[in-house]
């Protein structure tokens, strides 16, 4: 199996695993009327550090996985994630991609883009738009804080998984502390 295919598989599996954990977390947060979204985090590592084809394929597959478990038109998340990855691919040559702070910032910005796009897609069906926007704002704040806090762990998980399977573009050994 070539490196791009291994990158695609590793990123897709880790992202879908995080999406599953997010569904469990949202289930437990439902009584508090809070919902977390981490779509930007699912694709940031791929968009910043992988081959373009592997990043786009992973984003589309992750989106299809999210579509399968969500009450949205099938393909909506896939197209949104693919669009976000394409936007990042267009500007990533100008970014210091290996920096953690840049990865976190990109994840937060992509997450903002995705949450606003999903909100605008369904805002016309809300019974009370004023109450809906307040809920969207609270979910947005909670999601952005969550993404910023969990991003270092998730990037490390993806990087170490790629190295462990020999799919990382920079072959660095995984040590106990690194």
């Amino acid at each position: 199996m070539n490196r791009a295919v291994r990158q695609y598989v590793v990123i897709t599996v880790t992202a879908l695993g995080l999406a599953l954990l997010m569904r469990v977390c949202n289930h437990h947060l439902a009584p508090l009327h809070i919902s977390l979204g981490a779509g930007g985090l699912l694709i940031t590592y791929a968009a910043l550090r992988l081959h373009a084809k592997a990043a786009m394929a992973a984003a589309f597959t992750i989106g299809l996985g999210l579509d399968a478990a969500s009450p949205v038109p099938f393909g909506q998340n896939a197209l949104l994630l693919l669009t976000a990855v394409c936007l990042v691919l267009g500007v990533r040559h100008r970014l210091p991609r290996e920096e953690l702070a840049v990865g976190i910032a990109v994840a937060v910005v992509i997450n903002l883009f995705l949450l606003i796009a999903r909100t605008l897609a369904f805002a016309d069906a809300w019974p009370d738009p004023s109450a809906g926007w307040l809920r969207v704002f609270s979910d947005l704040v909670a999601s952005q804080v969550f993404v910023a806090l969990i991003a270092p762990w998730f990037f490390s998980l993806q990087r170490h998984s790629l190295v462990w399977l020999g799919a990382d573009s920079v072959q660095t050994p995984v040590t106990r502390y690194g």
Side-chain angles (χ1 to χ4, degrees), residues 65-134:
L66 295 176
D67 286 333
S70 301
V72 297
F74 196 71
Q76 180 186 28
N77 287 317
L79 291 176
L80 284 173
L81 293 180
L82 184 61
T83 301
V85 165
C86 289
L87 290 173
V88 174
L89 287 173
V91 297
R92 77 177 181 175
H93 65 281
R94 298 179 185 185
L95 301 172
R97 302 184 291 182
E98 298 295 325
E99 296 292 326
L100 179 61
V102 171
I104 294 171
V106 170
V108 167
V109 169
I110 291 173
N111 206 49
L112 175 68
F113 164 75
L114 293 172
L115 289 171
I116 289 174
R118 287 184 191 123
T119 300
L120 293 177
F122 296 108
D124 59 339
W126 292 348
D128 183 15
S130 61
W133 284 107
L134 184 58

Side-chain angles (χ1 to χ4, degrees), residues 1-2 10-11 14 19 27 42 46-47 50 73 76 79 98-99 114 119 132-134 139 143 147 154 162 170 175:
M1 188 179 332
N2 69 15
V10 168
I11 295 300
T14 56
H27 174 74
L42 299 177
L50 298 188
Q76 180 186 28
L79 291 176
E98 298 295 325
E99 296 292 326
L114 293 172
T119 300
W133 284 107
L134 184 58
D139 288 351
S143 296
V147 165
F154 190 62
L162 287 168
V170 178
T175 63

Side-chain angles (χ1 to χ4, degrees), residues 7 10 20 32 34 39 47 64 116 119 135 139 161 163 170-171 173:
Q7 289 176 345
V10 168
L20 179 64
L32 301 174
I34 296 174
L64 290 178
I116 289 174
T119 300
R135 169 70 190 267
D139 288 351
S161 298
V163 170
V170 178
Q171 295 293 322

